[in-house]
Amino acid sequence: MPQTSMNWLRGSTPARRSVDRPAPTRSARWHAGWFTLIGIGVAACILAILLPEHSTLWVANYEGMAILALAVFAIAGLRMPPGARLVWWALWGFQALTFVGEAVYDAQHTDDDPLRIPPLASILYLSAYVAVFLALAVLIRSAHPGRDREAWIDAAIMAIAAASIIGVIIIEPAMASLGDPGLHTLVALVYPLLDLGVLALMIWLLFGTVHLSPVLALLTGAFTFYLAADLLYEYRFVNGLTDRTWVWREAMYLAAVVLIAAAATAPGAEDITRPASTPHRRATPIRIAGLVAAVVLVPLMLTVAVWQDRIGSARLLA
């Protein structure tokens, strides 16, 4: 039977395959087009750090790379099979809404109140979270076809530890310094909690996988950059960091955009919702180490807070 030619990102296969010629291996499906996308993305992230901030070249580099990644992602999404289409289009919606939200924020934001987010940008950001929650929920459903209470409990333990860190270094100092915050400030402080929800779902997803596939590894890296950039944004205003942190934050956002587009065009992207055929090994060393660290972290932070007379942090941890 003739084989359909794939797009340049996924490479091409011959129109007809002879009987004696073996099928291409999985590693042979990594092609020049995919590596070209990664190379351009890495170069754009480096330029985002090195170019003068807010200059014309910086804006052209950042927005050009983001639009290119979204376009490549959209082309890949159109070619996805029905079973994987919902996940990838939800992730594309997450990226598109975040990108448009950033543009609205840059256009309407003022320096009078650094935590004030324009209403339209808030709507776009919150809609982006709905999209990413949908995508992760579908992936978790695929990775955990039945009731996996162990994965849920382990993810909850690690999420509580992460919540303790976010609460102590961001939420509690912000609430203490703002006094009587307005509605817009409270909305801004909701984003770390939403990021915590994304982190908990990612942990749950990773605990339910048999092995870390290249596609899932790229998605994990992308959300790591997204969460780190969001936390850096909040931490910057709470602790009065220099404006140079803005450059690193934007570079991390751009890296996340590139990595998700790379995941959508990587080998195996079509099979992301396919359940694993082999049983999951639950007690992996990484999982055990993460749980031990999570269990020890909260009491340790509580001890340090009490020793430093940080009553607000101690109450939050307790």
Side-chain angles (χ1 to χ4, degrees):
M1 295 289 292
Q3 300 293 322
T4 304
S5 176
M6 301 294 285
N7 63 353
W8 70 278
L9 285 167
R10 300 185 183 280
S12 59
T13 55
R16 293 183 181 273
R17 191 177 295 136
S18 63
V19 176
D20 298 332
R21 186 174 180 180
T25 61
R26 186 176 183 85
S27 61
R29 295 180 62 196
W30 296 92
H31 331 228
W34 188 88
F35 287 105
T36 300
L37 173 65
I38 293 294
I40 296 174
V42 170
C45 292
I46 294 174
L47 289 174
I49 298 173
L50 298 179
L51 289 174
E53 303 170 24
H54 304 290
S55 65
T56 303
L57 287 177
W58 189 96
V59 174
N61 171 73
Y62 182 91
E63 295 188 356
M65 185 65 242
I67 293 172
L68 174 63
L70 285 170
V72 169
F73 194 167
I75 295 172
L78 291 173
R79 296 177 178 269
M80 290 292 172
R85 201 168 293 162
L86 176 60
V87 170
W88 289 116
W89 278 113
L91 290 174
W92 187 90
F94 163 70
Q95 280 198 307
L97 289 167
T98 302
F99 177 74
V100 177
E102 286 288 305
V104 173
Y105 177 88
D106 291 338
Q108 300 182 356
H109 178 66
T110 62
D111 295 330
D112 298 335
D113 188 348
L115 284 178
R116 184 183 182 88
I117 299 178
L120 179 56
S122 293
I123 293 173
L124 292 168
Y125 288 148
L126 294 175
S127 299
Y129 278 103
V130 173
V132 74
F133 284 146
L134 173 62
L136 292 177
V138 174
L139 287 177
I140 290 172
R141 181 79 173 180
S142 302
H144 303 269
R147 288 176 173 257
D148 194 345
R149 295 180 180 177
E150 294 87 352
W152 185 89
I153 294 172
D154 292 349
I157 292 172
M158 298 188 71
I160 290 172
S164 302
I165 298 175
I166 294 174
V168 169
I169 68 175
I170 294 179
I171 297 178
E172 191 270 334
M175 296 300 294
S177 62
L178 291 174
D180 186 16
L183 178 60
H184 64 277
T185 304
L186 294 176
V187 171
L189 293 177
V190 167
Y191 293 109
L193 301 179
L194 294 174
D195 289 335
L196 179 63
V198 174
L199 177 62
L201 292 177
M202 282 300 301
I203 294 172
W204 193 358
L205 174 63
L206 293 175
F207 280 173
T209 57
V210 178
H211 65 278
L212 191 64
S213 65
V215 175
L216 189 55
L218 289 167
L219 287 178
T220 302
F223 283 111
T224 299
F225 278 120
Y226 266 125
L227 297 176
D230 281 348
L231 293 178
L232 182 61
Y233 171 81
E234 302 287 345
Y235 188 78
R236 169 194 172 191
F237 291 120
V238 170
N239 295 275
L241 299 181
T242 63
D243 288 340
R244 186 63 186 170
T245 57
W246 178 87
V247 174
W248 291 98
R249 168 183 172 266
E250 295 300 310
M252 285 190 286
Y253 274 136
L254 189 59
V257 172
V258 173
L259 285 176
I260 293 187
T265 55
E270 304 93 338
D271 303 325
I272 193 171
T273 56
R274 181 175 298 175
S277 58
T278 56
H280 178 48
R281 180 188 171 196
R282 300 187 183 280
T284 61
I286 296 178
R287 187 168 180 173
I288 293 174
L291 289 172
V292 171
V295 170
V296 173
L297 180 63
V298 176
L300 179 61
M301 293 179 63
L302 178 59
T303 302
V304 173
V306 172
W307 181 62
Q308 295 179 345
D309 292 330
R310 297 172 58 184
I311 305 301
S313 298
R315 289 176 178 174
L316 181 62
L317 291 171

